[in-house]
Structure formats: structure tokens, C-alpha cells
Amino acid sequence: MVDKARKIAKEEHHFEFFGPYGPALLVIVLPAVCYALILGCNKNSCLQLWPMLKLSSFDVSIKWYSWDALLIYLAWFFGLAFLHVVLPGQRTEGVLLPNGKRLAYKLNAFRLFVLVYGAAFYFGFFTEYLNLGWLYDQFAPLLTASIIFSSSLSVYLYVSSFQKGLLLSSHGNTGYPVYDFWMGRELNPRLLGGRFDLKEFCELYPGLIGWALLNLGMAHKQLANHGSISNSMVLVNAFQLYYIIDALWCERAILTTMDITTDGFGFMLAFGDLAWVPFTFTSAARYLVDHPQHLSVLGLVLVLAVKALGYYIFRGANSQKDMFRSNPNDPRVAHLRTLKTERGTSLIVSGWWGTARHINYFGDWIMGVAWCMPAGLAGLSAVVPYFYCIYFAALLIHRERRDEHACRQKYGKDWDKYCALVRYRIVPYVY
Ligand code: NDP
């Protein structure tokens, strides 16, 4: 009976992440990568690609677990959740769900960020009351705490998703337990009588604000260790802070993303939001604590130029599509050549969107390179500071394939025509 159900599921579902059993590997490999980044680059040593990859680069004397870190982590998560509930926020509704309903959301991520980051900045840098460098000292135990917490949360989400009457995600309801545990069965799990949306909260609040605080902690530690904060540390903090503030300021925009509207809430998002983002995206800042780099004027100009180029492509392409989708007669986009589709909408085939089918991803990736460059310019052979742009390339390639699959389903033969006109996926003339 179960076998028959799985056979049907296999035929009906498009399994991502290496098939129905692939996530079994991912739930082990991804936390292992987080640990490997600390093992491979810390205050004692940092893995180098050349002259050769040395096993002796791995320092195994790191403390991985502490009760302090676990308690602070729990206080952090529940403290933020408490503030989210009690502080005022903008009320809005999400997209129309498959059950014909819309969920109400309370948005106050930016407000919480200002409060928490502002307090940390003030008490950390202008008083003796807060030792932000503790975040560096306890980085590995904090990572362990976040992995324990996000894994426990995923188990809770999986078990509770079997209650009757819940709206399930079609992606995470295949009958393959490991796959469903990874993808998430329930679409929008909620607590407090439906007032607290767990997925939206985890997507933006503890992970993104935590990422900003960890970076700040790295800057503080560099100051404590070396007596000053290097310009490369300032750049890494500033670039990433801008990205985080943008996401929190535009909190409403997350309600229309695939994560909220389509994917369930399972290990993929819980671990990704709470452990992966804050503890791997901070690799460059963490590296700089122990290997401070002072960029020359030329280095600074180079990093800023790469960032500006990435932003120019990213913003140009995204804005062009947004304008076109909102009003195709807008004079700024009315001149673009388009392909009319049977679905009723048109696809742009000139301008930014004529160069590659996801030219916006290319711009985003270039910006990611600029995030890593301040840490990596002086030590090009070190791998860890470049982790973000290596990982981000893989993520965008995978995401492009996901979107390609969705578009082929949406547009059918028209998508093939479009692909013939715009041949490159992400990088013009290369890929
Ligand atoms: P896109 O913004 O590229 O949107 C894809 C959709 O755009 C398609 O499904 C299609 O939808 C429409 N579209 C595709 N081609 C055309 C065309 N030629 N003309 C008009 N419409 C077209 O993808 P995402 O939503 O994945 O990404 C949004 C941004 O977020 C990107 O800049 C990306 O880099 C960034 N991002 C960042 C991540 C991070 O971790 N930092 C992760 C993922 C994304 P339809 O036709 O139905 O309108």
C-alpha cells in the first residue's frame, strides 16, 4: 500500500535535491560544512589551497559546545519572538492560498533590528557592559546550539504537521518521510492561536538580525585583539548590513516569495534560516578577526568597483522586469522587444533580459564576490573567506534550474522559443 502511494508520488512529483532520499545526505552534510568552516579556519590556522592542501591546517582543539551558548541562544530566539509579539507592527495580508484564504501577518522586523542592533552597537562599543567579542569566542558553541535548536524545531514541525485540517505544501507532501522532513509538510505553521507565523519569523528575524550581530561581534573582537578595525572589516560589515537592512525594511516582499507561498516549513528552511545563514555568511568577517587586512586605495577602489558593477546589473535587471510586469507601457521599458506567449503574458527578449535568462542572478553573484574580496584580496589562496561566493554560485545555478522547470511548465512551447532567442542561462556567452 505504502509502496503504491510512493510510486504514485514519484510519478507525480518533481523531486529536487537529488531525489526522494537525497535530503538524507543533506541533513548531515550541511551541518558538517558549517563545522568544517570553523575547523578549517580559526585563530590557529586557516586552510590554504596552495602551496598544498594540508591536513595539519585543521585545528581539532576547538570547544564545540557550551551550556552558556545554548542558554543564550534560547534566550535570543524566544526574546526576539516575545518582542515580535508585543511590539507594534504593520498589519498586512499574504497572497491567496490554495485553500482560497489569506493569512494575516504582523511586520516589525526592521523595528526589532533597530532596537537590538542599536542597543548592541551602543553597549558593545561605547560602554563596558557588553562584550560583543563573546560572539567570536563562542562561535562554534553557538553554531551547535543553532543546529540543535533548528533540528528540534524541524522534528516538531514534521510531527505537528500530521494534525487534521492543516494546509500542506505540495512540495513537501510526497509520502517520503525524509524528503517531507526536509521540504516541510505544513505550508504556514502558526502558534498562539494563529497569530504567530513561525516560518515568516524564522526567515527574517533571528537569522538575519543574528547575522548582523555576529558580524558586529567579529569587528569588536578585531578591535579588542588588534587595537583597530581594518577597512576590510568595515567593508564586509557595511556590504552585508546593507543587504540585511534592505531585506528587513522590505519585509512585506517576502510574502510573495517561493519560500512563503510554496515551500513548506521543514529542515531546509529552519536550518537554513537559523544556522546556515548566520554562521556561514559570516565567514569573511570571522576570517578577518585573525587575519586582518588593510586594503590599499587601489584595493578599496577595486572592491567598490566590483560591488558597483554587480549592483548595476542586479538592480538594472530586476527593476526592468518589475517595471515591465507592472506597466509594459512605461516609457522606460516600452521600447523592449518581447515574446508574446499563449499564457497571456510576454517575456522580454532584449535589454538586460536579452543577455541571459537570469542576468539578475549574475549581478547578485558579482555583489557576493565583492563581499568576499575585502577578506580575500591579501590572501587569495585561503578558501574560507570566499565561501559565500562559492556557495552562492551553486545556489543560483540550482535556483535557475528550479525556475527553468517552473517556467517550462508555465509557458510550454513558448519557453523553448524564448530559450532559442535568449541562449544563455546566467552568464552571457559563458553559461
Ligand atoms: P527572478 O526575479 O529572475 O524571477 C523569475 C520569474 O521572472 C520567472 O518565473 C518569470 O515569471 C519571470 N521572467 C523570467 N524571464 C522573464 C523575461 N524574460 N521577461 C519577463 N519576465 C520573466 O527570480 P527569483 O525570484 O528567484 O529572484 C529574485 C531576486 O532575488 C534575484 O535578483 C536573485 O538574485 C535574488 N535571490 C537572492 C537569494 C539570496 O540568497 N541572496 C536567493 C534567491 C534569489 P513570470 O513570467 O510568471 O512573471
Side-chain angles (χ1 to χ4, degrees):
M1 196 63 184
V2 173
D3 283 351
K4 198 174 167 199
R6 286 186 180 168
K7 192 165 172 279
I8 294 169
K10 216 169 185 172
E11 281 157 12
E12 278 180 359
H13 290 280
H14 165 70
F15 287 100
E16 300 168 74
F17 304 101
F18 317 115
Y21 301 107
L25 194 67
L26 292 173
V27 296
I28 295 166
V29 168
L30 295 182
V33 170
C34 297
Y35 284 122
L37 288 173
I38 302 176
L39 206 57
C41 196
N42 50 65
K43 66 177 184 302
N44 301 321
S45 58
C46 198
L47 188 67
Q48 302 284 316
L49 266 190
W50 64 83
M52 66 174 77
L53 207 130
K54 285 187 276 176
L55 276 182
S56 58
S57 303
F58 289 99
D59 173 14
V60 285
S61 65
I62 295 163
K63 191 178 175 200
W64 296 105
Y65 183 80
S66 83
W67 283 105
D68 283 359
L70 187 60
L71 291 175
I72 295 283
Y73 189 85
L74 292 175
W76 160 249
F77 186 91
F78 289 107
L80 268 191
F82 176 75
L83 288 175
H84 172 57
V85 173
V86 297
L87 288 182
Q90 191 194 351
R91 305 269 171 186
T92 191
E93 283 196 329
V95 297
L96 198 63
L97 296 170
N99 62 3
K101 292 184 184 160
R102 286 178 197 272
L103 289 172
Y105 288 87
K106 178 179 176 182
L107 312 178
N108 56 13
F110 184 71
R111 196 167 285 186
L112 256 73
F113 165 78
V114 172
L115 191 74
V116 174
Y117 192 86
F121 194 85
Y122 174 74
F123 288 108
F125 283 93
F126 297 105
T127 74
E128 302 278 301
Y129 298 124
L130 185 63
N131 174 17
L132 279 174
W134 182 86
L135 294 172
Y136 171 87
D137 300 331
Q138 292 285 319
F139 196 83
L142 283 169
L143 167 66
T144 302
S146 76
I147 292 175
I148 292 173
F149 185 79
S150 54
S151 305
S152 312
L153 177 63
S154 310
V155 172
Y156 161 78
L157 291 166
Y158 182 73
V159 173
S160 65
S161 72
F162 285 93
Q163 291 170 70
K164 283 207 174 107
L166 300 177
L167 180 61
L168 301 181
S169 153
S170 60
H171 288 191
N173 186 24
T174 64
Y176 286 85
V178 177
Y179 192 83
D180 293 349
F181 172 77
W182 164 265
M183 291 299 284
R185 292 184 84 242
E186 191 179 353
L187 191 57
N188 304 107
R190 291 195 155 205
L191 299 173
L192 305 179
R195 283 184 299 130
F196 184 86
D197 191 282
L198 262 170
K199 184 166 62 167
E200 201 271 337
F201 175 74
C202 288
E203 282 271 294
L204 289 182
Y205 295 66
L208 287 197
I209 302 176
W211 171 14
L213 284 186
L214 283 172
N215 270 348
L216 198 63
M218 302 305 126
H220 191 275
K221 189 69 184 179
Q222 196 189 52
L223 179 66
N225 283 359
H226 304 279
S228 65
I229 300 178
S230 65
N231 58 5
S232 49
M233 179 67 97
V234 172
L235 274 189
V236 168
N237 262 267
F239 286 162
Q240 299 191 352
L241 195 59
Y242 178 80
Y243 190 87
I244 293 164
I245 289 176
D246 184 64
L248 299 178
W249 178 258
C250 305
E251 185 176 4
R252 183 194 278 264
I254 200 174
L255 303 183
T256 55
T257 60
M258 197 197 288
D259 289 6
I260 298 290
T261 61
T262 319
D263 289 336
F265 193 28
F267 186 88
M268 177 178 77
L269 289 181
F271 170 80
D273 295 339
L274 302 176
W276 184 264
V277 167
F279 290 93
T280 66
F281 288 15
T282 42
S283 295
R286 194 171 58 79
Y287 171 84
L288 285 171
V289 173
D290 304 308
H291 311 88
Q293 322 280 340
H294 195 82
L295 294 176
S296 62
V297 175
L298 188 66
L300 267 177
V301 170
L302 190 65
V303 172
L304 290 170
V306 172
K307 173 79 182 170
L309 174 71
Y311 187 75
Y312 175 65
I313 300 173
F314 169 83
R315 185 50 58 223
N318 282 333
S319 302
Q320 200 169 62
K321 178 157 70 72
D322 288 347
M323 273 179 231
F324 181 77
R325 281 278 177 256
S326 326
N327 175 17
N329 298 321
D330 185 315
R332 288 168 293 180
V333 289
H335 64 282
L336 294 170
R337 277 185 290 119
T338 58
L339 174 76
K340 187 98 191 117
T341 69
E342 282 178 17
R343 188 170 173 246
T345 52
S346 296
L347 292 165
I348 309 168
V349 295
S350 70
W352 283 115
W353 295 86
T355 58
R357 300 199 291 275
H358 273 97
I359 187 72
N360 53 344
Y361 287 7
F362 186 42
D364 208 348
W365 182 75
I366 295 176
M367 288 200 295
V369 173
W371 289 10
C372 303
M373 280 173 74
L377 266 188
L380 277 176
S381 64
V383 190
V384 171
Y386 280 101
F387 175 77
Y388 177 77
C389 57
I390 298 166
Y391 148 77
F392 198 41
L395 178 133
L396 291 176
I397 289 169
H398 178 249
R399 194 175 174 101
E400 190 274 334
R401 299 272 165 167
R402 279 184 104 189
D403 192 50
E404 176 93 3
H405 178 79
C407 285
R408 184 151 276 121
Q409 286 192 324
K410 272 190 281 190
Y411 289 108
K413 281 191 189 128
D414 288 323
W415 190 254
D416 294 328
K417 284 188 211 160
Y418 171 64
C419 292
L421 289 168
V422 184
R423 287 178 42 220
Y424 298 98
R425 289 173 183 274
I426 299 176
V427 187
Y429 305 105
V430 178
Y431 175 75

